[in-house]
């Protein structure tokens, strides 16, 4: 099996709201509570466990996605002008995507300051 990242704890001010926000971006569902966590399963091997019991320290989470998932994400972003997104850290929330590495990419800001990066091609 080697090494597989199984779960990541994402600190938030409201675990349920944060889990719903993230799940909506990718068309996922919030799983039933697992102890103090609001989990969102991302693929077969990874769960983001949203937790509101400690201080929020904004983090960055990058996801390689397929074109269909990216297109659906763009649809969510287009229908909600309140979601901050942009083409890259140096460009602010310019509501644009990038075409780095021959694919498409976008950064999405959540209400707690986390940055979610979604890209269709991994940089070389």
């Amino acid at each position: 099996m080697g090494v597989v990242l199984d779960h990541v704890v994402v600190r938030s001010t409201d675990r349920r709201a944060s889990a719903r926000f993230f799940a909506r971006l990718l068309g996922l569902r919030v799983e039933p509570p697992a102890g103090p966590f609001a989990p969102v399963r991302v693929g077969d091997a990874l769960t983001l466990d949203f937790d509101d019991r400690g201080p929020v320290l904004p983090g960055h989470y990058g996801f390689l996605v397929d074109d269909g998932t990216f297109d659906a994400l763009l649809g969510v972003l287009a229908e909600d002008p309140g979601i901050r997104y942009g083409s890259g850290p140096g460009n602010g929330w310019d509501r644009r995507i990038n075409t780095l590495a021959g694919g498409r990419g976008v950064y999405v800001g959540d209400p707690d300051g986390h940055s979610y990066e979604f890209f269709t091609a991994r940089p070389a």
Side-chain angles (χ1 to χ4, degrees):
M1 169 173 44
V3 177
V4 176
L5 180 63
D6 180 74
H7 64 278
V8 173
V9 174
V10 181
R11 300 283 183 198
S12 59
T13 54
D14 180 330
R15 68 179 178 261
R16 289 176 194 87
S18 294
R20 283 191 305 268
F21 175 88
F22 178 79
R24 178 176 170 225
L25 292 175
L26 296 177
L28 303 173
R29 70 182 198 90
V30 178
E31 301 284 325
F37 305 112
V40 177
R41 179 159 298 286
V42 181
D44 294 332
L46 177 64
T47 301
L48 295 189
D49 290 329
F50 291 86
D51 183 5
D52 55 12
R53 294 174 300 156
V56 176
L57 299 172
H60 174 82
Y61 305 89
F63 298 92
L64 179 63
V65 299
D66 61 33
D67 284 311
T69 301
F70 195 87
D71 290 339
L73 169 63
L74 291 180
V76 171
L77 298 175
E79 71 186 28
D80 189 338
I83 297 176
R84 299 174 300 143
Y85 72 92
S87 57
N91 301 323
W93 303 113
D94 62 1
R95 301 191 68 78
R96 299 179 62 149
I97 67 169
N98 67 57
T99 55
L100 301 174
R104 298 179 293 162
V106 68
Y107 293 76
V108 179
D110 89 345
D112 286 317
H114 298 296
S115 174
Y116 298 111
E117 179 184 6
F118 304 98
F119 51 95
T120 62
R122 181 176 283 128

